[in-house]
Amino acid sequence: MDPDVLNMFVIAGGTLAIPILAFVASFLLWPSALIRIYYWYWRRALGMQVRYANYDDYQFCYSYRGRPGYRPSILMLHGFSAHKDMWLSIVKFLPKNLHLVCVDMPGHEGTTRSALDDYSISGQAKRIHQFVECIKLNRRPFHLVGTSMGGNVAGVYAAQYPEDICSLTLICPAGLPSTTDSKFIKQLRELQESERIDRIPLIPSTPEEMADMLKLCSYVRFKVPQQILQGLVDVRIPHNDFYRKLFLEIVDEKSRHSLHENMSKIKAPTQVIWGKQDQVLDVSGASVLASAIPDCHVYILENCGHSVVVERPRKTANLILEFLALLHSMDNNKKQA
């Protein structure tokens, strides 16, 4: 073979081998870095841009796509120990001309974490209101979406700042009393009785505990490689002390039933989406909301657990779009009447 041709194949082979070896090395040695790259790539692919907003000396990190238009903007509040990128699976199924905003909740990811901050549910709602004012999202009423802890905050926000929002979607929200104890609540009681409350099932510190948490939160059984489980744990471990402090704050008497205490003040049309097989927060909470909020539309998803956003993203996105379309149609009918 001609030496020049041979050299060309060697160079080409080396060029291909470098990224492959880099990927394998990242997967085996630094899985947490691979996870960060994954989210970065997914944000770019979906057109989500990351920005920062400052309120005095407090910084909010958020991602957004689109601009405010004739349809309401959508603000999304994630759950406990998650971050803004958890919404990417739903963003994928939402129209690109919708104005979407996903914010890191207080103390999470790129948003300021301060030992002096109020992490109660009402304190978090106040912080989110500051964020809304920072980016002037409330120039027009917007649609607010929240899941789990974020659902609790979203409900309290809707009650405390009704002029800001036009409608509300609550996905498996916390903050409600339940007549039926979920598996998670039973586990917490067992831990309290054995004085091992530091072993909170939602705060894993090993790959095995991460696998158990995924089983607890999801009805669908995802096959997650050991290296990815390790990466997920590595990303979380530096924040686990904060997560423990936050968890004790949101289950404290001041916040435990915040949504329930405020739901009579919610006047905006409300959509509730819940996984029927939720093992973290029992699905009976949906009927509690339906009985207290006048204009409440409830959707119970079969074969779905607490992680509705991950397990049923297309269905969740479609339900939100259908709900907004219904409200738009009802507004038009009122104007024509």
Side-chain angles (χ1 to χ4, degrees):
M1 181 181 290
D2 189 304
D4 290 338
V5 175
L6 181 61
N7 287 338
M8 183 181 70
F9 276 113
V10 170
I11 293 170
T15 303
L16 289 172
I18 289 171
I20 292 172
L21 289 173
F23 175 84
V24 172
S26 296
F27 183 76
L28 296 176
L29 302 176
W30 306 289
S32 59
L34 196 62
I35 290 169
R36 291 188 178 94
I37 292 170
Y38 168 77
Y39 282 124
W40 171 83
Y41 174 79
W42 203 5
R43 282 197 305 268
R44 285 184 63 86
L46 294 175
M48 297 293 287
Q49 300 183 56
V50 175
R51 293 289 185 272
Y52 294 88
N54 292 295
Y55 184 91
D56 293 334
D57 59 347
Y58 195 90
Q59 177 180 268
F60 296 95
C61 181
Y62 67 102
S63 60
Y64 78 97
R65 187 176 74 182
R67 296 181 178 179
Y70 72 94
R71 289 193 286 187
S73 298
I74 300 178
L75 174 61
M76 298 180 168
L77 308 182
H78 64 73
F80 171 78
S81 77
H83 48 76
K84 59 187 175 298
D85 292 332
M86 71 160 286
W87 295 107
L88 292 174
S89 56
I90 284 184
V91 169
K92 177 182 177 181
F93 298 107
L94 294 174
K96 290 187 177 179
N97 60 349
L98 270 180
H99 181 222
L100 308 176
V101 180
C102 307
V103 63
D104 286 327
M105 297 293 284
H108 290 73
E109 198 77 4
T111 292
T112 295
R113 178 179 300 172
S114 168
L116 301 177
D117 214 6
D118 178 6
Y119 291 105
S120 68
I121 296 301
S122 61
Q124 292 191 61
K126 183 178 179 181
R127 280 295 188 197
I128 295 302
H129 182 61
Q130 292 171 353
F131 167 71
V132 165
E133 291 189 318
C134 271
I135 65 168
K136 298 179 171 56
L137 189 64
N138 54 352
R139 283 180 174 176
R140 293 181 56 196
F142 58 87
H143 180 71
L144 182 58
V145 181
T147 184
S148 196
M149 179 193 78
N152 194 353
V153 175
V156 172
Y157 188 104
Q160 294 182 352
Y161 308 100
E163 66 284 354
D164 280 4
I165 71 166
C166 59
S167 46
L168 178 68
T169 294
L170 303 177
I171 304 173
C172 304
L176 298 168
S178 176
T179 55
T180 305
D181 284 346
S182 66
K183 181 179 179 179
F184 173 62
I185 297 300
K186 291 176 181 176
Q187 288 178 343
L188 281 184
R189 289 209 174 117
E190 290 173 2
L191 289 171
Q192 285 177 326
E193 290 171 3
S194 61
E195 297 183 348
R196 296 175 63 193
I197 195 61
D198 58 311
R199 299 288 299 276
I200 299 167
L202 296 181
I203 308 178
S205 55
T206 67
E208 293 72 27
E209 290 176 358
M210 173 59 70
D212 289 341
M213 188 189 82
L214 294 178
K215 290 177 184 177
L216 178 67
C217 293
S218 303
Y219 175 79
V220 177
R221 290 293 175 255
F222 299 103
K223 293 182 179 179
V224 184
Q226 183 73 10
Q227 287 297 324
I228 296 299
L229 290 172
Q230 184 65 59
L232 292 170
V233 170
D234 289 346
V235 169
R236 295 171 64 99
I237 281 178
H239 310 288
N240 276 355
D241 286 344
F242 166 71
Y243 294 151
R244 290 187 187 95
K245 176 186 175 183
L246 173 62
F247 183 81
L248 295 176
E249 188 78 41
I250 63 179
V251 298
D252 184 71
E253 195 67 32
K254 182 180 178 182
S255 294
R256 188 181 307 162
H257 297 146
S258 290
L259 178 55
H260 186 255
E261 292 162 2
N262 283 272
M263 61 186 183
S264 62
K265 301 175 187 175
I266 298 175
K267 305 304 178 185
T270 301
Q271 175 187 52
V272 176
I273 304 173
W274 217 302
K276 189 173 183 179
Q277 284 75 28
D278 191 338
Q279 298 182 96
V280 178
L281 299 170
D282 192 76
V283 68
S284 59
S287 59
V288 174
L289 290 167
S291 62
I293 301 174
D295 194 3
C296 189
H297 304 250
V298 176
Y299 304 88
I300 306 299
L301 304 185
E302 294 282 351
N303 302 323
C304 184
H306 186 67
S307 301
V308 171
V309 174
V310 177
E311 295 179 77
R312 304 290 290 279
R314 185 193 296 270
K315 179 65 175 178
T316 304
N318 287 339
L319 286 174
I320 292 172
L321 292 174
E322 289 167 7
F323 181 58
L324 293 175
L326 173 65
L327 297 179
H328 181 70
S329 175
M330 290 171 62
D331 284 342
N332 284 341
N333 290 338
K334 287 178 182 178
K335 291 175 182 177
Q336 293 174 4

